[in-house]
Each structure stands twice: as C-alpha cells, then as structure tokens.
Amino acid sequence: MQVYQGKSVLNGIAIGKICLYKRDQQQVVRCKVQDIEGEIRRFQEAKEIAISQLGALYEKAVKEVGETNAAIFEIHQMMLEDEDYLESIENIIRTQGVNAEYAVGTTSDNFAAMFAAMDDDYMKERSADVRDISERVLAVLSGTDKGVVMTKEPVILVADDLAPSETVQLDKENILSFVTVHGSLNSHTAILARTMSIPALVGTELPLDASIDGKIGAVDGNQGCIYIDPDEETLESLRKKQAEEQEKKELLLTLKGKESITLDGQRVLTYANIGNSKDLAMVMQNGGEGIGLFRSEFLYLESETYPTEEEQFKVYKTVAETMAGKRVIIRTLDIGADKQADYFQLAKEENPAMGLRAIRICLTRPEVFKTQLRALFRASAYGKLAVMYPMITSVQEVRKIKEIVEEVKQELTGENLAYGEVEQGIMIETPAAAVISDLLAKEVDFFSIGTNDLTQYLLAVDRQNEALDAFYDAHHTAVLRMIYQTVQNAHRENIWCGICGELGADTKLTKLFLAMGIDELSVSPGRILPLRKIIRETNVEEEREKLLANWL
C-alpha cells in the first residue's frame, strides 16, 4: 500500500479503480508556409470554431453547475478575442512565415510563462487558462478532440492536471473522484469540483505511470490523501466512514420541508444566497425557506451594457414566481471594489473597497438606480419580494433612498403598472451602520448583516490581500459584539435581523447566533440543512448565558 498526500478540494470518501488520464499532447512542428494570408485565415477559422465549442461547454456547465461557475468558459471565449494574444499569433505567422500551429504554440508558451511568473495567485492561474485555450485551437487545427474524458465504469480519475473544460465534460455518473499532481485550491477546476460535489485532491505528488493505472485506490478527502492498493484494514475503515457520511446526508434530507425551530421554540429562518435565477433549483433541493440574498450585480457584471428595466424585470419576476410566496430579498447593485463593469466607467481608485461602490453609485447615478427600482417594484406584484440596500453609512442615505423609491412608486401608479407591498431593508456591513443601528432601525423594515465587509472594515484588513489572511479574524470579539449590538437595536424597534455573510454558515457560531436572537441565516444552498439540524437540536434558553459569556 502506498499513501500520497495532497490538498483536499472537497471532503468525502471515494473507493474504486484508478483511471490514469493523459491528455493527448499536440505535437507542434515548425513549418514554412507560402500563403501567409491563407494561414492567418486558417487560424482565424480555427479560433471561431474554438469559441463556438466553448459556447456549447458554457451551456452545458450552466445546467450542471450554475451560471456563476460556468463563467470560466465565457472568460475563455474572451481570452480568444484578446488583442495581444491574437496579434502575437498573427505577427509570428507574418514575420516568420510559419504555420499557425507553431505560432499558437509559441504564443501559448510565452503568455503562460508571463502569467506563471506573477506574484498574484489569481493571475498565476491564468497561465493554465492560456494553455487550455491554445490546446483547444491546436486541436481544431489538427482535427482532433479536445479534452474529452471517456470511461465506461466508475473510476477515480488521476491526471497531471485537469483544465476546466475537461472537468465539466466529466461523466459524473462514472467519476468517483479526481486527483491531480498540479493545480491549486483557487483554480476554476477546484471551484467546479466543489460545485459538482466530487471528492478531489490537487497538488498530489504521485507517479503517473503503470504503477497506479488500473489499481484499486481510495481517496480520503477529509485527510487529503489517496491510498494505492489499500490493505483490508484501511479499506474497512474507509468504507465505514463512507457509510457514516452517506447516513448523515440521508438524515439531513429528512429535514427538507421542516421548520428551523429550536427545542425551546425559537424560530430561525434558513434562507439561501444566490447569484442568478438558475441557482433556484439548488435552493429547492436543499429546502430553502426563502432567498436571503439575491446578488443583482451579476445582471450587470454579465452584461456589456446597462441591463434594461425589462431585462431585469423578467429575472426578478421569475425568482419571485418560482419561490411561490416565500420571501425573496434582492440586493440592489453592488458594483465597485472587486466587482467592476467597464461600461460604468468608474475612475481608478487607490482604495476601491472604500471608494465609489454600491449605494454610492446608485445615489450619484439616480437614473441607473431608478431603472432597477422600477423593475424590482414591478416584479413585487408576482411574489413576496423585499429589497435591501448595501454599503449604508448614514440615516441621510436611507432617507434619500426612500425619496427615490416614492418617486418610482408614483411613476408606476401613473402608468397603471402594478406593484406589491415591498419590505425595505439595509445591509449592516460598515462599522458606521452598526454603531448607529439604533437610529437606522427606525427607518427600515429589516437588517441583514454582511459579515465579510463588516469584518474587513472593522479590523482594517483587506480581505482580498492573501498576505493578511492571518489577521482576518471573523471570530474577533469586536465583530461578534457588533453583530450582537445590531441584533439588539433591531429588536428594540421591532424589526428583524439576519446574517447573509459567510459567517452565517460557520457552524461553530450557529448556537451563539441563536443566543444573540438572530432571526434569519442566509447561506449557500448546500449549507442550509446542516444549519437546520443544529437549530432543531439546540435549547437556546438553557445555553444563552454561557454562550454569550464565553464568546463576548
């Protein structure tokens, strides 16, 4: 038995035959060509076919893993239209009088090396993307298939690395797990693996040869390792763990449709965070009681220009109708900081996280804001829709928002366009909002605490800066006290208060949030049932004093 350690992408146990996947390497040969323009046309035709293939992959990925995770294939399409990339290839063909394959291969090597040399981990990952799109073009030029992983039986797939396009084409019915020698936890492939719920390891130093191919393997995602030819004792232990995990999943599914009520009768709404209407299936599958955060900015990020009122209305209406009377909370656009749309033409800022973003854009560009509000209020006629506003820092901002909302309602009434009763709330994600939450609670119907930004601003730690990971402590007493203070101020004014940031899914804090009196927890769909289990097993009254004393 051999054991190889890797980095776990997703917990879980997989036991089965190992299938070694070796990508067909494109053999690039340098050839002189006479018809330069003809060779360039040949490359351009191959590029268009590759873009079309990526479009088909995008549509497949949307159905399987959702629009947000499928976006990598749109990015690959854009990369194939990148001027620098295209100019490099065409320049090599023209100046050296060589074939398109050689020009694509050379450009791929040059650009991949450039990205790999960068300090930023995200930019390093673009090195693999460049190689992926180039391999696709080379496959078209040579008339071969690109990255199709075929298997007729359930296997553990082992490879040097897997490109996102290869991962999405995996036959999930026959892939028990995958293990790669290269790749990082931040790669698109890792993200897709989590979404597809396939136990996986990356960065695993194991031999890619006959010594493992066809052997029995066992992947332990909990420990981040793979066993080759495991002995009977190890197999028995892993099978036991596997059975326990399956039993837990089945038990959690019995909680679907049940209310999230503690043993002593405290009701906590378990809602879902989503990025688009295609995520609704996951909400239903996991028993979401509503939508606690619909990130409307993705409508803007996925568009090349401002989405129209009608385009937005159709999306909001679909979500409201599908949730059939359950509350749907839509956050108004949160563009800015790390979420940029070129057509907004925002000026470059030294510190964008504290710059012109979210509600600040809405209040300085009321025509954009009113378009969204009109779509939202029109959609409210089709379900229980609520609106919340991000990045609030003052009572004056809220009052200005309410003035604009009244203008919109008067316009709709004048045009005989129906709208329903709309709850209006704000996100508590700046320290200023938390400190004056007693005043803000008099102005709105609810609070939703955005713990990601609240922690960032409160601790003065840029959450995008990996060098500061050790200083970003979401469990910091100051963060938890500020959440508790906000809940208390909300309840004094008889409004409800929830959490929609990442901290809401932290099961180490679930009981503390119950003790604080949190009314709602909004998390990714897959985290709803584990939270509901803890809620239903907790007697808050018995533990409140101890929990508050220990944490605060």
Side-chain angles (χ1 to χ4, degrees):
M1 177 176 74
Q2 295 87 41
V3 185
Y4 299 95
Q5 201 70 31
K7 299 173 186 173
S8 179
V9 172
L10 191 70
N11 291 347
I13 307 292
I15 301 169
K17 184 187 288 187
I18 292 173
C19 174
L20 183 61
Y21 170 64
K22 288 191 175 181
R23 184 184 298 117
D24 290 334
Q25 296 294 321
Q26 301 292 329
Q27 296 299 317
V28 177
V29 179
R30 187 177 189 273
C31 304
K32 281 286 187 181
V33 295
Q34 298 300 318
D35 185 359
I36 301 296
E37 295 306 318
E39 197 66 13
I40 288 176
R41 282 195 301 274
R42 181 168 163 263
F43 160 67
Q44 290 171 341
E45 289 169 2
K47 179 201 72 173
E48 292 303 322
I49 292 172
I51 289 174
S52 177
Q53 291 176 349
L54 288 165
L57 279 175
Y58 172 78
E59 294 300 327
K60 184 177 188 294
V62 163
K63 294 175 185 175
E64 294 184 357
V65 296
E67 198 164 342
T68 302
N69 291 307
I72 178 59
F73 300 114
E74 287 189 316
I75 293 170
H76 280 193
Q77 286 177 304
M78 287 188 286
M79 290 176 76
L80 276 173
E81 297 282 15
D82 180 76
E83 287 186 10
D84 292 331
Y85 180 78
L86 298 178
E87 285 176 2
S88 172
I89 292 169
E90 292 182 14
N91 182 61
I92 291 172
I93 295 173
R94 289 186 192 281
T95 59
Q96 299 184 37
V98 293
N99 55 322
E101 288 88 343
Y102 179 79
V104 171
T106 301
T107 297
S108 174
D109 290 342
N110 292 342
F111 275 57
M114 175 181 69
F115 282 120
M118 293 183 177
D119 292 330
D120 184 85
D121 284 342
Y122 177 83
M123 295 308 294
K124 282 182 178 179
E125 290 298 330
R126 303 294 69 75
S127 174
D129 290 333
V130 169
R131 292 198 181 280
D132 194 18
I133 62 169
S134 300
E135 285 286 330
R136 182 167 298 282
V137 174
L138 287 171
V140 175
L141 287 168
S142 64
T144 59
D145 284 332
K146 164 72 174 77
V148 180
V149 184
M150 302 296 290
T151 176
K152 295 180 181 179
E153 60 180 329
V155 296
I156 294 171
L157 193 71
V158 175
D160 179 66
D161 199 0
L162 285 169
S165 56
E166 292 167 330
T167 308
V168 81
Q169 291 181 90
L170 297 176
D171 179 1
K172 286 190 288 182
E173 297 298 318
N174 283 328
I175 301 297
L176 302 170
S177 167
F178 71 71
V179 179
T180 63
V181 174
H182 296 103
S184 80
L185 296 174
N186 300 315
S187 68
H188 293 295
T189 301
I191 293 168
L192 284 171
R194 293 186 191 103
T195 308
M196 293 163 70
S197 295
I198 301 174
L201 304 177
V202 297
T204 316
E205 293 187 11
L206 75 172
L208 299 177
D209 55 33
S211 67
I212 65 167
D213 194 21
K215 300 285 181 67
I216 294 298
V219 174
D220 186 346
N222 306 306
Q223 300 299 320
C225 65
I226 178 172
Y227 299 88
I228 310 296
D229 273 342
D231 56 42
E232 196 54 42
E233 183 181 350
T234 302
L235 269 178
E236 186 61 31
S237 173
L238 290 174
R239 286 191 182 114
K240 185 177 178 182
K241 288 181 185 177
Q242 194 176 41
E244 289 171 354
E245 288 181 355
Q246 185 58 35
E247 186 178 350
K248 286 178 184 176
K249 286 181 183 178
E250 290 172 1
L251 284 172
L252 285 175
L253 287 174
T254 65
L255 297 176
K256 280 183 64 176
K258 295 187 177 179
E259 293 184 320
S260 305
I261 300 179
T262 65
L263 293 174
D264 54 331
Q266 181 176 325
R267 174 80 188 274
V268 182
L269 298 167
T270 45
Y271 284 1
N273 296 338
I274 64 172
N276 55 65
S277 59
K278 293 183 177 66
D279 293 334
L280 290 171
M282 289 291 289
V283 179
M284 303 294 188
Q285 185 180 328
N286 288 279
E289 296 175 282
I291 304 297
L293 170 62
F294 181 102
R295 301 181 179 92
S296 72
E297 60 268 17
F298 283 105
L299 294 176
Y300 295 80
L301 294 172
E302 293 165 0
S303 177
E304 294 182 358
T305 186
Y306 296 102
T308 66
E309 178 183 328
E310 203 60 32
E311 288 169 340
Q312 294 187 63
F313 166 68
K314 288 178 181 177
V315 174
Y316 305 146
K317 176 175 175 283
T318 296
V319 177
E321 287 179 330
T322 304
M323 292 307 293
K326 295 177 180 177
R327 185 189 277 129
V328 174
I329 303 173
I330 300 180
R331 178 174 69 189
T332 55
L333 72 94
D334 190 9
I335 293 291
D338 58 326
K339 292 175 282 190
Q340 296 286 335
D342 291 343
Y343 58 88
F344 273 79
Q345 296 182 334
L346 299 176
K348 182 174 173 56
E349 297 176 303
E350 289 299 318
N351 196 341
M354 294 187 179
L356 188 62
R357 59 172 293 198
I359 202 63
R360 297 169 182 176
I361 292 177
C362 292
L363 293 179
T364 54
R365 301 189 187 186
E367 70 286 352
V368 175
F369 192 29
K370 288 180 73 172
T371 297
Q372 182 173 33
L373 288 174
R374 282 177 59 91
L376 286 166
F377 272 79
R378 284 175 58 198
S380 70
Y382 298 88
K384 188 177 180 180
L385 193 144
V387 179
M388 69 177 175
Y389 308 102
M391 275 294 287
I392 296 297
T393 60
S394 71
V395 171
Q396 289 74 23
E397 288 170 342
V398 175
R399 289 178 179 166
K400 181 61 180 174
I401 290 166
K402 290 162 80 172
E403 286 178 18
I404 296 172
V405 166
E406 284 306 310
E407 290 175 17
V408 166
K409 290 164 71 173
Q410 288 176 19
E411 287 177 8
L412 295 176
T413 300
E415 297 168 29
N416 291 319
L417 292 172
Y419 60 88
E421 290 295 322
V422 179
E423 284 184 290
Q424 295 185 76
I426 60 172
M427 290 191 69
I428 303 294
E429 53 188 338
T430 66
V435 170
I436 62 167
S437 54
D438 58 329
L439 304 177
L440 292 168
K442 301 176 190 295
E443 303 286 335
V444 297
D445 299 313
F446 67 90
F447 288 157
S448 187
I449 302 172
T451 55
N452 304 348
D453 272 330
L454 182 62
T455 303
Q456 168 176 245
Y457 295 133
L458 190 57
L459 301 184
V461 174
D462 180 359
R463 62 190 177 101
Q464 301 292 329
N465 187 341
E466 293 180 9
L468 298 177
D469 281 352
F471 298 94
Y472 185 90
D473 178 13
H475 289 193
H476 196 292
T477 303
V479 176
L480 300 177
R481 285 184 178 179
M482 197 154 272
I483 292 172
Y484 187 34
Q485 173 188 315
T486 300
V487 176
Q488 289 179 306
N489 286 333
H491 289 172
R492 287 191 187 103
E493 295 297 330
N494 296 312
I495 69 170
W496 64 269
C497 181
I499 293 177
C500 65
E502 287 296 312
L503 216 55
D506 188 338
T507 52
K508 293 176 184 174
L509 296 177
T510 304
K511 290 186 178 182
L512 173 63
F513 291 148
L514 295 175
M516 288 181 178
I518 282 287
D519 302 291
E520 174 247 22
L521 292 169
S522 190
V523 298
S524 61
R527 308 300 293 275
I528 290 173
L529 294 178
L531 278 183
R532 186 169 297 161
K533 183 175 186 293
I534 295 173
I535 292 167
R536 290 174 62 89
E537 293 174 350
T538 301
N539 188 314
V540 184
E541 201 56 46
E542 288 182 0
E543 298 191 57
R544 177 173 280 115
E545 189 174 334
K546 179 182 69 176
L547 283 164
L548 295 177
N550 287 347
W551 283 97
L552 306 181

